[in-house]
């Protein structure tokens, strides 16, 4: 691939300072026949093996989780992201997202087992292992003969992952390391065959990764299964290592490279976690809709009541936005991987760099979609009323399972701060030009605004202008904060969180509008009026949130004339010329869902 062609491929974080055209993004409507067939086979597996047995997962049937994982392995689902030479299907990044999406909708217990095994349990070996390590371990992991787990977290090392106390001491004869320490919250610990373990050698600044086979006779003991709010049949235990011998050839990558491995594994985990929250929303919306059409009060199905219809419309809108943004980013990553492979890089290096390029988007998606699934399941309970609070309906378990998504793969607070921090670092490296656009916004603030009435006849003309203005709001707030605090901005976490919320809403709203514009070009605006309504409704809420968070940021670090000028700028950047009819938008969306009696987008 030529350098020119590579330049045309989007770079991570660039969405903020460039205009993206709808023709340039990938959407769920662009899935190939092969991808649709894979999606359908995954759905068939879940509907046959997992959904009818939800009660077994809720009753902590760990053996059934393991049995279901073996069946998934036999069908090839555990090897979708594994290259063919190591026994996998070698599918592209979008296809692996698709499998993760649809395999995760029935229960968080199976979703967690699947995600932990295929992601952080297998991927570090696939991406960082030597050829010998990959040939020895990956085929067994891809087939489901063996299962993987990932030992990073310790009692004193959670978000501060590099502070772990687990030690690795080289033996006198130099043939092996002895690992001693305690790990906690280890998914799949109860039935895994191999651990990815992070330990510190001597007083190294950074931890080191090791591949450790699960042999109890080799100083490995497990704690009891944890009693958890949700994901109840996901095996979660403490793991204790007592001078566990690990051959030197089982070091993963290089000494001191463990923190890098952990962070890159989490980047992939974050976008996959976003995908894993999508089908759970679809199923929750469908379940709530069916209940609302059957439940009669005051001689009327409750799906006829505006209060219920508003909930269904908002739930569907957030799910649609999540799909739009997740698959947009997935295809950007896939394109970046393919461009690197075409230039002669190994698939291993290409995937690492491709995902790392879009680490900002991975964090954005993790936060947005994990919070949407929680809200969706919460509203699902509300629509079911008292029955929603009962274990006899699937809503309460969906709500409990959703809660962990805001914690693992890095808490949402950490990911919010990371998204802005990584963007600023990219700007400092010259990978994203934030300074130029931020200076233009500063000039615009002191200039005379235009009072011309724009032409909004084209679909989404005003919405796209609004998104461009929201980007200016971010550049104004974040640019001024960076100017004021410089590298010390990291210490102002509440300010970073407010800026992150603006950044998140821009990416999600833009992805939703672009997907819908592309769809309208293909099918005609009239045929997709419900999707148009969802795009407009999502943007309406995004504008509101940018206004709130922008005001919070400005009030926190600016004073006097500077504050007044920035508040006026924020007002200008969040002002619609034509406010949408919010109730009308919700009604359009709800009418479609209720008539189809399912999430139908």
């Amino acid at each position: 691939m030529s350098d020119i062609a590579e330049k045309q491929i989007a770079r991570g974080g660039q969405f903020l300072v460039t205009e993206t055209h709808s023709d340039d993004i990938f959407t769920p409507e662009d899935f190939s026949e092969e991808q649709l067939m894979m999606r359908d086979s995954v759905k068939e597996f879940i509907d046959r093996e997992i959904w009818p047995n939800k009660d077994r997962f809720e009753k902590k049937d760990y053996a059934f989780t393991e049995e279901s994982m073996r069946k998934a392995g036999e069908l090839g689902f555990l090897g979708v992201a594994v290259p063919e030479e190591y026994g996998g299907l070698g599918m592209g990044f979008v296809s692996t997202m698709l499998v993760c999406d649809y395999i995760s909708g029935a229960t968080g217990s199976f979703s967690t087992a699947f995600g932990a095994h295929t992601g952080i349990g297998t991927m570090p070996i696939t991406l960082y292992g030597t050829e010998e390590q990959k040939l020895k371990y990956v085929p067994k992991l891809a087939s489901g003969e063996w299962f993987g787990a990932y030992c990073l977290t310790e009692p004193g090392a959670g978000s501060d992952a590099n502070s772990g106390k687990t030690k690795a001491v080289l033996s006198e004869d130099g043939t092996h390391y002895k690992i001693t320490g305690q790990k906690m919250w280890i998914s799949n610990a109860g039935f895994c065959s191999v651990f990815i373990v992070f330990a510190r050698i001597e007083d190294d600044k950074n931890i080191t990764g090791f591949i450790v086979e699960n042999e109890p006779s080799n100083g490995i003991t497990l704690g009891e299964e944890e009693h958890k709010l949700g994901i109840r049949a996901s095996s979660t235990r403490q793991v204790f290592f007592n001078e566990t011998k690990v051959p030197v050839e089982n070091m993963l990558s290089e000494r001191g490279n463990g923190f890098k491995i952990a962070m890159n594994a989490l980047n992939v985990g974050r976008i996959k976690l976003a995908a894993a929250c999508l089908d759970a929303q679809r199923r929750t919306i469908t379940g709530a809709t069916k209940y609302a059409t059957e439940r009669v009060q005051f001689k009327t199905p409750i799906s006829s009541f505006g209060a219920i219809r508003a909930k269904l419309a908002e739930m569907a809108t957030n799910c649609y936005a999540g799909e739009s943004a997740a698959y947009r980013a997935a295809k950007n990553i896939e394109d970046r991987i393919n461009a690197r492979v075409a230039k002669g890089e190994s698939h291993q290096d290409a995937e690492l760099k491709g995902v790392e390029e879009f680490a900002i988007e991975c964090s954005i998606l993790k936060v947005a979609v994990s919070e949407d699934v929680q809200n969706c399941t919460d509203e699902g309970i509300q629509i079911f009323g008292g029955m929603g609070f009962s274990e006899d309906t699937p809503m309460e378990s969906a709500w409990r399972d959703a809660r962990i998504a805001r914690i693992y793969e890095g808490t949402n607070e950490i990911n919010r701060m990371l998204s802005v921090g990584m963007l600023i670092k990219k700007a400092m490296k010259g990978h994203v030009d934030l300074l130029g656009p931020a200076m233009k916004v500063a000039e615009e603030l002191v200039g005379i605004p235009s009072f011309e009435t724009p032409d909004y006849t084209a679909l989404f003309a005003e919405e796209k202008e609004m998104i461009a203005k929201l980007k200016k709001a971010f550049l104004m707030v974040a640019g001024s904060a960076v100017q004021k605090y410089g590298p010390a901005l990291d210490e102002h976490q509440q300010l970073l969180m407010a800026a992150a919320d603006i950044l998140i809403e821009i990416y999600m709203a833009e992805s939703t509008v672009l997907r819908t514009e592309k769809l309208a070009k293909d099918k005609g605006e009239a045929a997709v009026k419900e999707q148009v309504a969802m795009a407009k409704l999502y943007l309406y809420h995004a504008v509101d949130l940018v206004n709130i968070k922008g005001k919070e940021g400005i009030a926190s670090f600016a004073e006097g004339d500077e504050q007044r000028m920035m508040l006026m700028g924020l007002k200008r950047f969040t002002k619609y010329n034509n406010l949408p009819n919010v109730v009308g938008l919700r009604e359009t969306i709800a009418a479609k869902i209720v008539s189809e009696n399912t999430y139908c987008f």
Side-chain angles (χ1 to χ4, degrees), residues 169-178 245-250:
V169 179
L170 187 63
S171 62
E172 286 183 14
D173 63 4
T175 61
H176 60 270
Y177 285 91
K178 292 179 182 177
K245 292 180 180 178
V246 184
V248 290
E249 59 267 25
N250 273 31

Side-chain angles (χ1 to χ4, degrees), residues 2-28:
S2 70
D3 287 343
I4 296 168
E6 189 177 348
K7 278 176 188 166
Q8 290 170 348
I9 297 173
R11 293 203 73 146
Q14 256 187 346
F15 70 90
L16 188 67
V17 291
T18 56
E19 184 184 357
T20 306
H21 299 285
S22 59
D23 293 339
D24 296 331
I25 68 157
F26 182 88
T27 74

Side-chain angles (χ1 to χ4, degrees), residues 415-485:
N415 274 286
R416 278 184 161 89
M417 291 184 284
L418 270 176
S419 63
V420 178
M422 289 186 291
L423 182 66
I424 291 167
K425 277 180 188 161
K426 275 199 154 212
M428 287 174 173
K429 287 179 182 174
H431 294 173
V432 176
D433 177 19
L434 287 187
L435 187 61
M439 286 174 71
K440 280 184 184 171
V441 173
E443 288 166 17
E444 190 177 328
L445 285 178
V446 295
I448 300 166
S450 167
F451 295 103
E452 289 178 25
T453 306
D455 178 8
Y456 292 138
T457 49
L459 176 65
F460 291 137
E462 181 164 10
E463 285 73 20
K464 287 199 282 188
E465 184 186 271
M466 283 302 302
I467 289 165
K469 290 196 294 188
L470 296 186
K471 292 178 184 181
K472 289 178 183 178
F474 177 86
L475 290 165
M476 176 182 73
V477 175
S480 299
V482 169
Q483 210 169 9
K484 178 157 189 173
Y485 297 115

Side-chain angles (χ1 to χ4, degrees), residues 297-340:
Q297 290 290 279
F298 310 104
K299 299 180 181 178
T300 310
I302 64 170
S303 60
S304 302
F305 299 145
I308 300 295
R309 291 167 86 83
K311 291 182 189 300
L312 293 173
E314 296 287 356
M315 291 155 78
T317 296
N318 287 334
C319 181
Y320 179 77
E323 291 171 350
S324 307
Y327 286 104
R328 172 190 182 181
K331 187 61 163 65
N332 285 154
I333 290 169
E334 184 173 294
D335 286 346
R336 180 63 61 175
I337 292 167
N338 292 342
R340 286 183 167 275

